[in-house]
Amino acid sequence: MCNYHDRSLPGKPLLILLAAWLLCCSPLAAEMFRVHKTVLLQMGADGGTESVSAGINDAVAIAIPEDLTFVQGIEVLFKVPQAVSYWQDAVAWSIYSGLKKKPTERTIDYRGERIAFGTFANSLSLVLKVPISGEHSIKKDAYSYLVETVPDFNNGMLFIRMQLVMKGTSDEIDNALFEVSAKPIYINKGRLDLSVVPPAGMEGKPYTVFIDGEAAEIPDGGLFLTPGQHNVSIVSEHFRNEMRTITVAQAKTMQLSIELRDIAPSVRIAAPVNTALFFDDKPLQNDGNAFSVTPGSHTIRFVIGGYELIKTINAVKGRSYTLSVNVDATVSEEE
């Protein structure tokens, strides 16, 4: 049952409310209505806000971005004119869904279903939180109004209508303008976009990705993670283990590329330019680059002028070895 209490306002008694059922009864089915004009507002996915001005019998059509990857709702802020605040409950807002035509600046006649409504009361601001799907984590609080019914957004817009619902108000309220802005309400998640690049010729070899110690499948669209630091590791019998620590930010995509390395042992030799190198008695180019070897014992021979040095290594899978040769001279002074 609707309960409406009469009240008096300073300087002028409260008169008849137009359509009081609009404010306190259940939403109607599809209805036809006319607005003075339609004001378009573009909401950016990056969180930036723009504002428009709209009168008490106008509609505001908020165009939402196509990319709603991190968006779970829309926060609409109304800065309420002093005159509207003075005439408490004189102006109502309504959200419509299922509009038969896409809102444009030239459209004034509409047909749709009113799914939420209320008044601007006597406050100088109003915040509406509108979810874009039924699966959201938006919480109710004392500073905003959470819309329970999700609009269809079929035309890519959130449609809000303002209208005067009280007789006997002053001329000042007829010319009052709201400042309206909108911004996304983000999910408390970021996204990891992981690219794993195996060595040439080893593209089909299996590996397992672990996120914070748990095996994880990385979908094509990326993996959603809570904001903060995470450990990413790759384990395989065919590649060397890799580990990275990343920081994921809310509503941002973290790009991570990991180049896998063959598990075969690798050797890098650092020697003076005029050094002749022999690996297992075969000549080796002295370019300082690492090269893969088979597991087991190997002999490296260094020849510098008339001097020869031989070293032996026992190569183990997954290990890297560096052999360095330095030529130095010692100066001693005697009396």
Side-chain angles (χ1 to χ4, degrees):
M1 178 180 294
C2 295
N3 294 317
Y4 174 70
H5 300 281
D6 195 5
R7 61 177 68 86
S8 296
L9 293 174
K12 187 180 289 288
L14 180 64
L15 299 179
I16 301 173
L17 280 177
L18 291 177
W21 46 263
L22 178 65
L23 306 180
C24 58
C25 301
S26 300
L28 296 175
E31 59 182 88
M32 297 184 64
F33 59 92
R34 171 172 289 187
V35 299
H36 177 258
K37 69 174 183 293
T38 301
V39 181
L40 302 183
L41 172 61
Q42 179 68 50
M43 185 187 78
D46 59 357
T49 58
E50 296 184 4
S51 61
V52 295
S53 295
I56 60 173
N57 287 309
D58 294 340
V60 177
I62 303 171
I64 62 176
E66 292 185 4
D67 184 5
L68 298 175
T69 301
F70 300 109
V71 180
Q72 62 175 333
I74 303 169
E75 181 177 298
V76 185
L77 171 62
F78 293 87
K79 292 185 178 180
V80 182
Q82 187 78 37
V84 174
S85 175
Y86 177 84
W87 290 92
Q88 183 173 344
D89 293 333
V91 180
W93 58 267
S94 301
I95 295 179
Y96 284 82
S97 185
L99 295 179
K100 302 305 179 183
K101 60 178 69 174
K102 184 174 182 177
T104 68
E105 291 181 331
R106 296 185 177 183
T107 307
I108 59 174
D109 291 312
Y110 293 97
R111 177 181 175 85
E113 178 183 355
R114 177 170 46 84
I115 62 171
F117 55 85
T119 68
F120 291 97
N122 60 349
S123 175
L124 291 176
S125 66
L126 172 68
V127 176
L128 300 180
K129 293 182 178 179
V130 186
I132 64 172
S133 72
E135 297 180 0
H136 65 85
S137 60
I138 306 173
K139 304 297 183 182
K140 293 183 178 180
D141 57 52
Y143 309 101
S144 62
Y145 181 94
L146 177 60
V147 176
E148 300 288 349
T149 305
V150 180
D152 57 23
F153 293 110
N154 288 340
N155 52 30
M157 290 188 170
L158 172 64
F159 188 87
I160 305 176
R161 173 193 182 192
M162 285 93 73
Q163 62 185 130
L164 184 65
V165 292
M166 180 189 295
K167 284 186 175 181
T169 57
S170 65
D171 294 338
E172 183 182 9
I173 199 173
D174 295 334
N175 299 318
L177 292 176
F178 293 85
E179 183 179 331
V180 187
S181 59
K183 64 180 182 180
I185 301 174
Y186 295 118
I187 59 174
N188 189 34
K189 296 282 187 179
R191 182 171 60 177
L192 170 62
D193 186 2
L194 177 62
S195 174
V196 180
V197 183
M202 302 184 68
E203 290 81 3
K205 302 295 184 181
Y207 58 84
T208 303
V209 178
F210 290 85
I211 307 293
D212 298 328
E214 299 288 337
E217 294 288 339
I218 308 296
D220 292 338
L223 181 67
F224 288 91
L225 299 171
T226 56
Q229 282 195 343
H230 297 273
N231 293 320
V232 180
S233 58
I234 296 179
V235 177
S236 173
E237 294 182 353
H238 306 279
F239 307 104
R240 302 189 184 203
N241 293 345
E242 303 286 349
M243 177 174 287
R244 305 288 189 274
T245 298
I246 62 172
T247 300
V248 176
Q250 182 187 18
K252 301 292 184 181
T253 297
M254 170 69 188
Q255 303 279 353
L256 176 62
S257 178
I258 297 179
E259 293 187 5
L260 299 181
R261 297 173 296 167
D262 192 346
I263 201 172
S266 66
V267 175
R268 187 176 71 87
I269 299 176
V273 176
N274 60 342
T275 304
L277 302 179
F278 297 86
F279 188 85
D280 291 339
D281 291 328
K282 294 181 180 179
L284 179 68
Q285 186 176 355
N286 186 8
D287 56 10
N289 294 328
F291 56 94
S292 297
V293 299
T294 59
S297 180
H298 298 277
T299 301
I300 301 95
R301 182 158 54 99
F302 304 84
V303 179
I304 306 175
Y307 295 93
E308 183 177 272
L309 177 65
I310 297 176
K311 291 291 184 180
T312 300
I313 61 171
N314 187 27
V316 178
K317 283 186 177 181
R319 300 292 180 87
S320 297
Y321 302 87
T322 299
L323 289 83
S324 301
V325 175
N326 296 315
V327 178
D328 199 0
T330 300
V331 178
S332 61
E333 182 178 352
E334 297 180 358
E335 292 183 358

